[in-house]
């Protein structure tokens, strides 16, 4: 899981510059609409794998959020951005808060689940926290049907003189397994102008729509897939939605 990666450990304080919150606005709007596909009014939302809280920056304008993540350092970043939100340290595979929400949301942190067993456990967590009539929305980076080798880049600058840039390169070294590989290179600039280069390899889970459908149905959800494309040159992306029968 994510605790093994520097991105979410000793480099967590750089996250607002590596992946600026403003970059999440358009996707957060789509996610909000998916959450509101529930059969009840959606007010209280649990986000599993909330990371630095960059989706929450936008979603909290419409919902009351509880943010759960495995990394205490990422939660610290999120608390700075989202002090009005409740934060909980916990693993999406076995977290049990003992209360229910109108909707549950899992963004790309779900990609760090590499086995069907872990994915099923997380779907079960979502179901356990979802009220009857509610919805759970999962947004993996890829499904088998949408995956294509790709590169990405980004980053931003802070008011204090710090800056960050990243390059990511994703490909599938073995189509016979359930994960793909992303090589990240970070260039980090400190306030005094000194720089550091960091290279890190991430493994990202890759499952087909049929697997998602089966696991959502097995947990008790009524599953559906929403495929979206942000622009004509963008790769398609699947949102997996589970509605809990009322």
């Amino acid at each position: 899981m994510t605790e093994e990666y520097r991105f979410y450990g000793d480099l967590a304080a750089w996250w607002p510059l590596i992946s600026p919150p403003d970059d999440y606005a358009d996707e957060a709007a789509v996610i909000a609409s998916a959450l509101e596909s529930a059969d009840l009014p959606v007010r209280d939302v649990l986000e599993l794998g909330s990371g630095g809280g960059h989706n929450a920056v936008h979603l909290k304008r419409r919902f009351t959020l509880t943010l759960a993540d495995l990394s205490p350092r990422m939660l610290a970043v999120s608390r700075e951005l989202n002090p009005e939100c409740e934060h909980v340290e916990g693993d999406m595979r076995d977290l049990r808060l003992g209360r229910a929400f109108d909707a549950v949301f899992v963004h790309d942190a779900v990609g760090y689940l590499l086995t069907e067993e872990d994915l099923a456990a997380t779907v079960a967590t979502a179901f356990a926290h979802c009220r009857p009539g509610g919805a759970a929305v999962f947004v993996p980076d890829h499904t088998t049907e949408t995956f294509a080798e790709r590169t990405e880049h980004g980053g931003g600058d802070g008011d204090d003189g710090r800056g960050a840039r990243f390059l990511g390169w994703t490909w599938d070294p073995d189509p016979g397994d359930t994960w793909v590989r992303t090589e990240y290179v970070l260039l980090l600039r400190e306030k005094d102008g000194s720089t550091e280069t960091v290279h890190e390899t991430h493994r990202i889970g890759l499952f087909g729509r049929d697997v998602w459908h089966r696991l959502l149905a097995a947990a008790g959800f009524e599953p559906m897939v929403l495929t979206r494309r942000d622009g004509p040159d963008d790769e398609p992306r699947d949102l997996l939605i589970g509605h809990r029968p009322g």
Side-chain angles (χ1 to χ4, degrees), residues 77-92:
V77 172
S78 181
R79 287 189 181 98
E80 288 289 323
L81 288 172
N82 306 296
E84 67 271 58
C85 297
E86 179 184 359
H87 290 78
V88 178
E89 183 178 339
D91 190 321
M92 68 175 73

Side-chain angles (χ1 to χ4, degrees), residues 8-10 18-19 22 25 28 50-51 79 88 93 115 135 145 148 151 163 171 195 218 227 240 242:
Y8 314 118
D10 65 297
I18 295 169
S19 187
D22 287 349
S50 55
R79 287 189 181 98
V88 178
R93 292 169 292 187
T115 67
E145 291 80 5
T151 58
W171 79 95
T195 60
T227 303
L240 294 307

Side-chain angles (χ1 to χ4, degrees), residues 27 31 34 105-111 137-142 212 228 237-240:
E27 186 164 34
I31 290 164
F105 165 50
V106 193
H107 197 231
D108 51 9
V110 77
V137 178
F138 303 82
V139 191
D141 279 335
H142 319 280
W212 277 99
R228 55 182 281 257
R237 190 169 185 185
D238 286 338
L239 281 75
L240 294 307

Side-chain angles (χ1 to χ4, degrees), residues 56-109:
V57 166
H58 308 283
L59 293 174
K60 68 185 179 184
R61 299 168 188 169
R62 296 170 68 166
F63 310 114
T64 299
L65 299 177
T66 298
L67 307 177
D69 198 87
L70 189 59
S71 166
R73 295 190 184 189
M74 291 296 275
L75 286 171
V77 172
S78 181
R79 287 189 181 98
E80 288 289 323
L81 288 172
N82 306 296
E84 67 271 58
C85 297
E86 179 184 359
H87 290 78
V88 178
E89 183 178 339
D91 190 321
M92 68 175 73
R93 292 169 292 187
D94 57 19
L95 179 70
R96 294 295 183 272
L97 297 177
R99 52 195 167 101
F101 298 80
D102 301 322
V104 181
F105 165 50
V106 193
H107 197 231
D108 51 9

Side-chain angles (χ1 to χ4, degrees), residues 198-221:
V198 177
H199 168 242
E200 186 163 79
T201 301
H202 291 217
R203 293 200 299 166
I204 305 298
L206 182 67
F207 301 94
R209 293 169 184 158
D210 60 330
V211 173
W212 277 99
H213 191 284
R214 172 165 48 81
L215 296 181
L216 286 166
F221 286 115

Side-chain angles (χ1 to χ4, degrees), residues 3-25:
E3 69 269 23
E4 66 190 79
Y5 297 117
R6 292 189 65 193
F7 266 38
Y8 314 118
D10 65 297
L11 298 177
W14 289 93
W15 191 245
L17 300 180
I18 295 169
S19 187
D22 287 349
D23 292 351
Y24 291 68

Side-chain angles (χ1 to χ4, degrees), residues 150-194:
R150 70 172 185 172
T151 58
E152 56 182 322
H153 61 87
D157 300 314
D159 295 335
D160 59 359
R162 294 189 310 149
R165 299 292 185 273
F166 81 89
L167 174 68
W169 178 21
T170 302
W171 79 95
D172 190 355
D174 182 0
D177 60 25
T178 59
W179 58 273
V180 297
R181 178 172 174 169
T182 300
E183 301 288 348
Y184 285 110
V185 177
L186 300 179
L187 184 60
L188 307 175
R189 184 188 66 206
E190 295 283 2
K191 298 177 184 178
D192 62 5
S194 62

